[in-house]
Amino acid sequence: MQSRSYTNLLELASGNFPVMGREREKRKMMPRVMTVPGSITELDDDQTSSVTSDNQSSLSMDRMILVANQLPLKAKRRADNKGWSFTWDEDSLLLRLKDGFPDDMEVLYVGSLNVDVDPIEQDDVAQVLLDRFGCVPTFLPPNLMEKYYDGFCKKQLWPLFHYMLPFSADHGGRFDRSMWEAYVAANKLFSQKVIEVINPEDDFVWIHDYHLMVLPTFLRRRFNRLRMGFFLHSPFPSSEIYRTLPVREEILKALLNSDLIGFHTFDYARHFLSCCSRMFGLEYQSKRGYIGLDYYGRTVGIKIMPVGIYMGQIESVMKLADKEWRVGELKQQFEGKTVLLGVDDMDVFKGINLKLLAMEQMLKVHPSWQGRAVLVQIANPARGKGGIDLEEIQVEIQESCKRINEQFGKPGYQPIVYIDTPLGINERVAYYTIAECVVVSAVRDGMNLTPYEYIVCREGISGSETGSDLSGPKKSMLVVSEFIGCSPSLSGAIRVNPWNVEATAEAMNEAISMSDSEKQFRHEKHYRYVSTHNVGYWSRSFLQDMERTCADHFRKRCWGIGLGFGFRVVSLDPNFRKLSIDDIVTAYIRAKNRAILLDYDGTVMPQNSIIKTPSREVISILNRLSGDPNNKVFIVSGRGRESLSKALAPCKKLGIAAEHGYYMRWSGDLEWETCGQSSDFGWMQMAEPVMKLYTESTDGSSIETKESALVWQYRDADPGFGFAQAKEMLDHLESVLANEPVAVKSGQYIVEVKPQEASKGLVAEKIFTSMAENGKQADFVLCIGDDRSDEDMFEIIGNAISRNMLSVNTNVFACTVGQKPSKAKYYLDDTSEVILMLENLADATDSPVTSDDDSE
């Protein structure tokens, strides 16, 4: 097959995806068991040919494909410069995820290498990695890698997700479209590697971190029912910060193509959900402890669980360290000293200098620690080349170290020991073992596993001498920033605001001054948590939630809609389908007595339209339909009768049910009927002051006073605040009006109080009953609406046959506007489709000769 590569990155990044083709590899690749009709060639053709088979495969076991920016491998050029040598990277979190998977689950890794492999060698390297390690390498060209990783990831996403806005070119740099294009192109290359090895109906795909945030769209576009999870290892910023990103919608929509999205803390998840609410109007629901977003019929699960550490690696290092000289040497070096330890990557967000200032403050305020307390600060090299202000930070740190050591140091004592050379895990474990307290002062960090590693090292190995205080009680202390992901799980740590240097200094003093029994108690509490919530526990929990979230994948009907990053999968119950114009026109022509019930706003009129008067086209269609003597056509709305009468004045034969049916008029030349038995609206004097109270405190809200109802609407208010106020008002009104004959209901950006007898369902019931009493029982029913109040009509229609209001031969078309959970069995996408369908019925009204009965 001819390779079809992309030629226009701008087109790609703007959402117009090129065809995802690739040359068929001649070399042996991971076998892919086809579980859907067709050939591999069909799968590799156009990306719109999504796999949507309803047949679940039983040919192969579940398999996990882990996708991350880097493979869990170390690569080194051989000494003879002929080929490469590869080994597992034991420090890689990705490698240990398999500890939580079933023993018989095969694991594949997809990612890039941290070395540049010559294109001539790539095929051979890929084959070796696949055969020996189960790894599928993604080879990124150096120029693409620079713009994708060092550019967009490290200079734009990473600073923004850590709350740094690019106010100037020196602080992160402004948005660069070419870097975004490179990011999209790199994600596309990762998707192609996944597609090479995936068995879409049997594999799970788990994508990791902000480097691959648009990958879910590429994969979902290809395989509609793919079981796919995403975990973000960095913070997710508040909506005010995230919404400054020029490609905010593209990234958010791509993430929503996952089945399960994971975060370390509730704060990060809350910010993500807030963005979904403010940008797309999506509200989450919590059911039995699980959080989910309904997105076009799919439930996108939200997982909140901090990652753990791999205990085995640290324990094995501690066994080795027990025999090595380093621990003993460090104990001798710091004999008689109390060691506080910091282990951080060198970047602007780790707050290293704030920690040094806090140490300086502690020595000033508590001079008894001078000559006794030492802060050992290990600064690991920065990750990537996209570091911001690193030189400035390093100069600042060096100056602070020099100043503090000159002020408080003396022969044989330096309060600050600064180590800026890379340390292996053996050396790190040795420092953990002799430290009395670990201090983490990051101003923002996704997780930070340093405290977890420290706790395990302080516990030591049973029977060894690497534990704290040799064979004595195990104890440890932590001073941690409240802005890091591990903080909520460490309830025994002293949490600090690292920007408050004085408070941090006091916390450090408290930590090392605490009694041994208290240190022991806190250590035991932390160790119980860290040892049970390890990386295996974390990955097992994520897999279980993925299985639960994806349980209905093969039961529902799925199809993809939308272009570019607007692509999403619609997933609906098999019995819920789009209304076919041909089917309904055929049924309409055959029918003798027809009932047509239409909602107004959001059905025949666009919901957000400023102009609330129907167009000439809509008026013409309504007149043609209501002019047929075999039709009973009603507009059923929550609007007041005066506004509906005015808007629909040209439709003389049209029936109107206003204010949810409290007022009804069978045609323009008849009087209004009151459906309610009570004309006492004294409850309004109780409800209106409550609504005014919330209106005054909610900017953008207003009250609409109808003859029989009161409506508080907050469409123009802040979405989050308006929703919260509406929820509070609903409870308030239900309490105030508990003994009144009214119903308090919430709808789309409204809270409404209306008489209990006013219901759209009762309107439908009254129309069906009246037609039957006049000897014209409806044999065709069309009911269309878009709001919660319209569900009353759908419910009545669903029960009408069993209640003898309709015959068993009646063709019933209950239709909601928009693809969403509903009691209706059909849907149309929007008001334009509703008008098109009604126009086809009107045309059939004008040309009844096509009826079978007329042709006899």
Side-chain angles (χ1 to χ4, degrees):
M1 185 175 71
Q2 180 74 28
S3 174
R4 295 170 292 186
S5 62
Y6 52 85
T7 57
N8 189 337
L9 282 179
L10 182 59
E11 188 176 63
L12 180 77
S14 62
N16 299 318
F17 295 138
V19 174
M20 291 171 60
R22 57 180 171 81
E23 292 185 5
R24 184 67 58 195
E25 311 268 5
K26 291 183 180 179
R27 58 190 170 84
K28 175 193 167 196
M29 287 300 291
M30 175 66 69
R32 180 168 61 184
V33 180
M34 295 303 298
T35 60
V36 292
S39 65
I40 293 180
T41 306
E42 289 174 347
L43 279 183
D44 288 331
D45 246 352
D46 195 283
Q47 73 270 22
T48 56
S49 303
S50 299
V51 178
T52 56
S53 167
D54 290 324
N55 302 316
Q56 208 164 352
S57 168
S58 60
L59 296 178
S60 60
M61 298 293 291
D62 287 344
R63 184 174 63 172
M64 175 64 77
I65 299 177
L66 298 172
V67 193
N69 178 53
Q70 279 201 355
L71 290 170
L73 295 172
K74 290 181 178 179
K76 192 168 72 171
R77 194 75 179 169
R78 286 180 184 158
D80 58 6
N81 205 31
K82 294 180 180 179
W84 295 87
S85 174
F86 297 96
T87 56
W88 287 116
D89 181 1
E90 296 296 335
D91 291 336
S92 173
L93 177 74
L94 201 68
L95 183 62
R96 306 317 320 177
L97 298 187
K98 62 185 178 184
D99 294 353
F101 302 153
D103 294 336
D104 59 350
M105 176 175 268
E106 182 185 355
V107 179
L108 282 180
Y109 302 92
V110 177
S112 65
L113 292 167
N114 59 357
V115 293
D116 186 20
V117 179
D118 192 286
I120 299 173
E121 301 176 296
Q122 287 179 4
D123 282 2
D124 293 334
V125 167
Q127 193 60 53
V128 168
L129 295 184
L130 183 61
D131 293 340
R132 288 181 51 197
F133 298 95
C135 291
V136 182
T138 303
F139 298 108
L140 301 175
N143 60 335
L144 179 64
M145 185 70 173
E146 183 179 356
K147 284 193 169 186
Y148 149 68
Y149 183 74
D150 297 326
F152 193 75
C153 289
K154 283 298 180 181
K155 290 184 179 176
Q156 297 187 355
L157 280 183
W158 186 72
L160 187 79
F161 279 27
H162 288 76
Y163 288 73
M164 178 180 280
L165 291 174
F167 290 118
S168 70
D170 296 332
H171 291 80
R174 302 290 161 78
F175 177 77
D176 186 330
R177 179 66 59 177
S178 68
M179 291 183 182
W180 162 244
E181 291 164 2
Y183 182 81
V184 174
N187 274 247
K188 182 179 187 296
L189 290 178
F190 278 93
S191 75
Q192 289 174 335
K193 291 301 175 182
V194 174
I195 290 168
E196 283 184 10
V197 296
I198 197 169
N199 177 14
E201 293 188 2
D202 294 301
D203 292 347
F204 289 93
V205 176
W206 187 358
I207 302 165
H208 289 266
D209 222 2
Y210 63 93
H211 315 92
L212 301 171
M213 293 176 82
V214 299
L215 179 57
T217 287
F218 284 111
L219 295 178
R220 184 67 69 194
R221 192 175 182 85
R222 195 65 181 263
F223 308 113
N224 287 350
R225 288 191 173 87
L226 181 63
R227 297 178 292 184
M228 178 166 48
F230 179 92
F231 195 92
L232 183 67
H233 292 267
S234 79
F236 193 94
S238 66
S239 65
E240 289 78 10
I241 298 293
Y242 178 79
R243 285 184 290 139
T244 64
L245 187 63
V247 288
R248 59 188 187 179
E249 290 192 7
E250 289 89 333
I251 289 177
L252 205 60
K253 286 178 179 177
L255 288 177
L256 289 170
N257 275 320
S258 305
D259 294 302
L260 183 65
I261 306 172
F263 302 92
H264 286 306
T265 72
F266 176 68
D267 269 354
Y268 303 162
R270 179 168 55 86
H271 295 155
F272 174 80
L273 293 169
S274 176
C275 288
C276 292
S277 172
R278 289 176 175 275
M279 291 169 58
F280 304 140
L282 302 176
E283 298 297 338
Y284 73 89
Q285 291 183 329
S286 183
K287 293 181 180 178
R288 296 183 180 179
Y290 297 109
I291 299 175
L293 281 167
D294 185 77
Y295 188 59
Y296 291 93
R298 289 174 51 245
T299 298
V300 180
I302 304 299
K303 175 76 172 174
I304 302 167
M305 177 169 284
V307 69
I309 61 172
Y310 175 46
M311 300 279 291
Q313 182 192 20
I314 297 176
E315 289 174 348
S316 64
V317 171
M318 284 193 290
K319 289 176 183 176
L320 292 174
D322 196 28
K323 300 172 184 176
E324 292 181 356
W325 54 268
R326 191 56 177 145
V327 173
E329 185 184 70
L330 289 176
K331 287 180 178 178
Q332 185 178 356
Q333 179 183 348
F334 297 107
E335 188 176 2
K337 307 290 191 300
T338 298
V339 178
L340 296 97
L341 178 65
V343 182
D344 303 279
D345 292 339
M346 175 54 70
D347 72 55
V348 67
F349 302 111
K350 292 302 187 286
I352 295 175
N353 199 54
L354 291 173
K355 191 186 306 179
L356 298 176
L357 295 177
M359 181 67 177
E360 181 181 28
Q361 177 72 11
M362 187 187 81
L363 295 175
K364 284 180 182 177
V365 178
H366 302 282
S368 61
W369 287 115
Q370 295 177 20
R372 296 170 53 215
V374 177
L375 172 63
V376 177
Q377 176 60 53
I378 300 171
N380 300 317
R383 300 183 189 182
K385 303 173 186 174
I388 303 166
D389 299 334
L390 274 189
E391 291 183 7
E392 184 180 332
I393 294 166
Q394 287 170 331
V395 169
E396 189 179 33
I397 290 171
Q398 296 285 1
E399 288 177 351
S400 294
C401 291
K402 183 180 178 182
R403 185 185 66 253
I404 296 170
N405 284 337
E406 287 178 352
Q407 183 177 358
F408 299 103
K410 55 188 177 182
Y413 170 70
Q414 274 194 326
I416 306 293
V417 176
Y418 182 64
I419 303 170
D420 60 354
T421 55
L423 296 184
I425 188 169
N426 293 23
E427 187 107 351
R428 209 164 65 234
V429 165
Y431 276 101
Y432 285 144
T433 303
I434 59 101
E436 191 72 18
C437 174
V438 155
V439 184
V440 182
S441 57
V443 296
R444 192 73 59 180
D445 206 352
M447 184 60 192
N448 200 310
L449 294 174
T450 296
Y452 288 13
E453 293 178 349
Y454 167 66
I455 289 162
V456 175
C457 291
R458 292 290 283 181
E459 178 68 16
I461 302 294
S462 178
S464 79
E465 294 189 352
T466 58
S468 61
D469 293 345
L470 300 179
S471 59
K474 316 299 184 188
K475 60 184 191 294
S476 62
M477 272 309 299
L478 292 167
V479 175
V480 299
S481 164
E482 62 189 63
F483 303 122
I484 64 175
C486 67
S487 174
S489 61
L490 298 170
S491 55
I494 302 176
R495 299 190 183 101
V496 295
N497 172 4
W499 296 104
N500 188 336
V501 172
E502 291 80 7
T504 305
E506 287 303 316
M508 291 163 65
N509 173 63
E510 181 186 353
I512 56 180
S513 304
M514 199 173 284
S515 68
D516 284 354
S517 59
E518 181 68 17
K519 291 178 183 178
Q520 182 184 350
F521 172 77
R522 294 183 185 227
H523 170 80
E524 289 172 354
K525 187 176 185 181
H526 287 156
Y527 184 74
R528 277 196 303 272
Y529 176 85
V530 173
S531 60
T532 54
H533 292 71
N534 55 24
V535 65
Y537 176 87
W538 176 72
S539 61
R540 181 165 55 253
S541 178
F542 195 91
L543 175 60
Q544 289 170 349
D545 274 19
M546 258 215 284
E547 289 175 328
R548 178 185 52 79
T549 306
C550 302
D552 289 340
H553 270 27
F554 294 92
R555 187 185 66 82
K556 291 187 173 183
R557 293 182 305 113
C558 301
W559 65 94
I561 60 173
L563 298 173
F565 284 116
F567 177 85
R568 64 270 188 200
V569 166
V570 177
S571 178
L572 299 173
D573 189 279
N575 297 321
F576 187 59
R577 55 191 183 274
K578 190 163 187 174
L579 185 59
S580 165
I581 290 180
D582 291 342
D583 289 349
I584 194 171
V585 168
T586 301
Y588 179 90
I589 291 171
R590 291 177 180 276
K592 298 289 188 182
N593 300 298
R594 313 179 189 102
I596 301 175
L597 286 66
L598 307 171
D599 179 37
Y600 189 70
D601 292 298
T603 302
V604 296
M605 287 294 295
Q607 185 68 256
N608 298 320
S609 175
I610 298 174
I611 302 171
K612 292 300 181 184
T613 305
S615 64
R616 290 182 180 178
E617 178 193 14
V618 172
I619 293 294
S620 172
I621 291 170
L622 292 176
N623 273 329
R624 288 156 67 193
L625 287 173
S626 58
D628 188 327
N630 294 326
N631 292 350
K632 187 64 66 178
V633 183
F634 260 82
I635 292 291
V636 185
S637 173
R639 281 182 164 270
R641 56 178 173 173
E642 185 176 338
S643 65
L644 286 174
S645 295
K646 185 177 179 181
L648 300 168
C651 304
K652 301 300 182 184
K653 295 184 179 180
L654 179 69
I656 298 176
E659 301 190 17
H660 299 290
Y662 190 82
Y663 298 107
M664 280 185 69
R665 190 177 69 185
W666 292 84
S667 64
D669 53 357
L670 296 177
E671 294 297 319
W672 287 95
E673 299 176 6
T674 302
C675 297
Q677 299 176 355
S678 172
S679 58
D680 181 13
F681 296 104
W683 55 265
M684 284 191 175
Q685 297 174 2
M686 302 165 65
E688 192 169 19
V690 175
M691 286 190 173
K692 282 184 176 179
L693 182 70
Y694 286 87
T695 304
E696 289 170 3
S697 60
T698 311
D699 190 35
S701 66
S702 61
I703 302 173
E704 180 186 356
T705 304
K706 302 178 183 178
E707 292 181 76
S708 69
L710 286 174
V711 181
W712 185 75
Q713 70 88 13
Y714 57 97
R715 184 174 301 279
D716 298 324
D718 175 90
F721 184 56
F723 180 78
Q725 291 287 80
K727 193 174 180 181
E728 181 69 24
M729 181 196 286
L730 194 72
D731 293 340
H732 195 161
L733 287 171
E734 285 178 343
S735 174
V736 169
L737 302 172
N739 298 319
E740 299 297 322
V742 294
V744 184
K745 300 277 188 180
S746 63
Q748 289 183 325
Y749 300 106
I750 65 164
V751 174
E752 183 170 22
V753 186
K754 61 180 183 179
Q756 287 175 341
E757 58 265 31
S759 159
K760 289 186 177 183
L762 295 178
V763 172
E765 188 175 322
K766 189 167 186 176
I767 291 170
F768 299 152
T769 303
S770 174
M771 292 177 69
E773 288 174 351
N774 292 328
K776 292 186 174 184
Q777 188 178 51
D779 54 2
F780 172 94
V781 173
L782 171 62
C783 178
I784 312 178
D786 76 310
D787 202 353
R788 291 181 189 174
S789 60
D790 299 307
E791 296 296 316
D792 294 339
M793 284 196 291
F794 301 148
E795 186 175 10
I796 288 293
I797 289 171
N799 300 326
I801 293 176
S802 61
R803 295 174 59 187
N804 296 322
M805 287 187 287
L806 299 174
S807 73
V808 292
N809 297 320
T810 303
N811 286 306
V812 177
F813 299 91
C815 177
T816 187
V817 181
Q819 299 161 13
K820 56 182 182 287
S822 172
K823 293 173 184 174
K825 290 188 176 181
Y826 300 93
Y827 74 90
L828 291 170
D829 285 325
D830 51 37
T831 55
S832 62
E833 289 196 353
V834 173
I835 299 305
L836 178 63
M837 184 271 300
L838 292 176
E839 186 176 19
N840 276 267
L841 295 186
D843 291 343
T845 297
D846 298 337
S847 308
V849 292
T850 55
S851 166
D852 289 347
D853 296 309
D854 287 344
S855 62
E856 289 178 357

